Amino acid sequence: MDTGLDPGAVVGPVARGARRGSPGTTRTLPPALPYELFDCLQVNLAVLADRWHGAGTHLGLGAALRFSPVTGADGLPTVARTVEQHLADARSALGIEVRSLHRTSGAAGIPLVEGCYVVADAHHLPWVPYFGQRHMEHSFLAEAAGQNGQDCQNGPDGPDGVSVVDGYHNETPWGSARPGLWSLSAEDLLAAVPGPALVAELAPAAGGPGAVTATADLAGPAAVDAYVDAYARHPDRNAALGRLTLETWFLARSRRLHAAFLAASGAAPDSAVDAHVRAWGALTEQTYLAARRVERGRTEPPGLLPRLREQLHADGALLGPALAATPVAGAAAGPPAAVGAELRAAVAAVAAAVLGTPAGPLLDGQSLGEVPQFSSFRIVEIIERLEDELRFEFDAADLVPENLHDIDAICAIVRRSPSAGPALARLGES
């Protein structure tokens, strides 16, 4: 289906923070909202919170630090929260009430009113990279175009136009998802929601959001061990690591959001908190890399699950001063081994080609993470292309994030690989 949409566009100037419950609010995206901290169900509740109650209200979703896994449909434990749980969080932390909640068989059952929050199958939504690629729940706001002065410029005009707001921000194997505002025709909406959807009609609570304080809902050490052990012992490694990729993504984003809430609540800057949150991000990268390795028939890297266990056991310290004494997984790697010019040039050429950036700055010491196009998907592509082009295989134990963020560190683990001898000889590195 060709909808004529530009999935990267954000339309018009961003609205200023509106007064609480103002009926004249425009439907542009709130300014300075950290969209990358939220999952695809939370983010559009955060958009409504800042629209109705002012900038910063969204941080209420980060007040609770949680680890309460339940058994998922595939038999593996999951920390993913249901739509209903997210709506309950929105009431208690954001001052958003649910006026009605119903399931509809398609787009015809969606009321195009302010605060219409829809959860549908991302496989059919043409503004997200999952379109035509993956079936998964995804939220958006659907309102009649032109309401309250709304000006949608990147889609069909007319009285039947539909304004879609989606704040989702993520990198995917099929491209980038970015916050935006799109205008669809009524026919486009029917195609985007051809099947069942959950529809909530939301409104600002009369009293606004109440006082929100930091809380912890963390299952104990035995539950942490049982969670990690379930993934370690699962016989289908592709299924286990595929699910764990999503799990660590949820956990990393929720920890970043909680840290942002603590900072906004006046917590003193703490380098240990920052390091712990960064370690969650690194663990997400490591999990995705492990999943891709196993998918390609390679050896599963051994350090992933112990690292996950350490991160989960350390989480509770985020709420107290004990964090400063908590060991954080993923200590910085030592100085890279000396490598020759030919290997450095080969590695830099592959990285530069994948990232679409000049090789020179990478050779001069620029971190891969400093390149705008860098993501966990790109580092996996770099690793796989190096193995294909140099005809060797990395040692699975070396595939941890701290070894993969600059040219010299990658060269060092090439040299350590038992199978890299012929490649090094061809490059004059024997």
Side-chain angles (χ1 to χ4, degrees):
M1 178 184 65
D2 180 8
T3 64
L5 300 180
D6 175 5
V10 176
V11 176
V14 175
R16 296 292 178 188
R19 286 176 295 182
R20 194 169 286 180
S22 168
T25 336
T26 59
R27 284 163 175 66
T28 46
L29 291 163
L33 197 154
Y35 298 98
E36 69 279 3
L37 300 186
F38 301 94
D39 67 39
C40 63
L41 300 181
Q42 288 177 314
V43 68
N44 292 308
L45 298 172
V47 167
L48 289 176
D50 277 24
R51 178 196 293 180
W52 286 335
H53 300 305
T57 309
H58 64 269
L59 287 172
L61 289 176
L65 180 68
R66 294 187 177 94
F67 179 72
S68 302
V70 298
T71 302
D74 55 5
L76 286 165
T78 180
V79 296
R81 290 173 65 74
T82 65
V83 178
E84 291 79 6
Q85 287 173 320
H86 283 304
L87 291 173
D89 294 341
R91 179 63 186 91
S92 61
L94 301 181
I96 294 176
E97 63 181 26
V98 180
R99 289 187 171 172
S100 72
L101 180 65
H102 68 278
R103 295 191 179 273
T104 178
S105 59
I110 298 175
L112 302 178
V113 296
E114 180 171 13
C116 180
Y117 171 88
V118 182
V119 177
D121 186 350
H123 189 269
H124 304 294
L125 304 179
W127 61 88
V128 296
Y130 306 112
F131 179 59
Q133 299 289 343
R134 175 169 291 179
H135 295 281
M136 59 187 295
E137 288 187 330
H138 190 88
S139 78
F140 60 94
L141 306 177
E143 302 163 341
Q147 286 185 356
N148 296 336
Q150 175 67 44
D151 180 19
C152 282
Q153 302 165 10
N154 64 333
D157 296 323
D160 296 327
V162 179
S163 171
V164 166
V165 177
D166 188 353
Y168 188 54
H169 185 293
N170 195 23
E171 301 299 328
T172 81
W174 308 284
S176 301
R178 291 294 181 266
L181 170 65
W182 294 267
S183 183
L184 277 65
S185 69
E187 291 76 16
D188 287 336
L189 185 63
L190 287 170
V193 189
L198 184 67
V199 179
E201 294 182 53
L202 306 179
V212 182
T213 56
T215 62
D217 179 14
L218 300 172
V224 168
D225 290 339
Y227 176 85
V228 178
D229 289 345
Y231 284 93
R233 296 169 180 167
H234 196 277
D236 186 338
R237 301 314 297 157
N238 277 313
L241 292 171
R243 161 56 65 178
L244 193 60
T245 298
L246 186 58
E247 292 289 300
T248 55
W249 185 87
F250 281 131
L251 288 162
R253 288 208 169 192
S254 66
R255 273 63 185 151
R256 288 178 65 197
L257 181 58
H258 184 68
F261 174 84
L262 294 177
S265 300
D270 191 325
S271 60
V273 172
D274 295 340
H276 184 73
V277 171
R278 287 195 303 272
W280 269 114
L283 182 63
T284 303
E285 288 183 11
Q286 185 178 355
T287 307
Y288 177 70
L289 177 57
R292 285 286 298 184
R293 302 292 294 174
V294 171
E295 184 181 312
R296 298 187 79 208
R298 306 286 196 185
T299 303
E300 180 176 341
L304 171 63
L305 292 164
R307 198 169 191 171
L308 173 62
R309 196 184 306 271
E310 290 175 8
Q311 283 294 111
L312 288 168
H313 280 305
D315 268 345
L318 275 171
L319 292 176
L323 180 63
T326 301
V328 176
V339 294
E342 294 298 325
L343 178 59
R344 294 186 82 244
V347 171
V350 168
V354 170
L355 298 175
T357 191
L362 298 177
L363 289 166
D364 290 339
Q366 181 186 30
S367 166
L368 301 184
E370 294 171 358
V371 179
Q373 297 85 351
F374 180 79
S375 69
S376 56
F377 301 109
R378 301 290 80 79
I379 192 62
V380 167
E381 186 176 351
I382 291 168
I383 292 303
E384 292 175 355
R385 285 185 58 171
L386 283 170
E387 289 183 322
D388 290 343
E389 294 187 14
L390 298 182
R391 300 193 295 279
F392 83 109
E393 183 175 339
F394 283 101
D395 188 325
D398 280 333
L399 295 176
V400 294
E402 54 264 34
N403 290 340
L404 302 172
H405 281 215
D406 67 75
I407 296 303
D408 287 320
I410 294 174
C411 288
I413 63 173
V414 172
R415 291 178 63 85
R416 287 204 296 267
S417 169
S419 65
L424 294 172
R426 288 192 300 272
L427 294 170
E429 297 280 334
S430 55

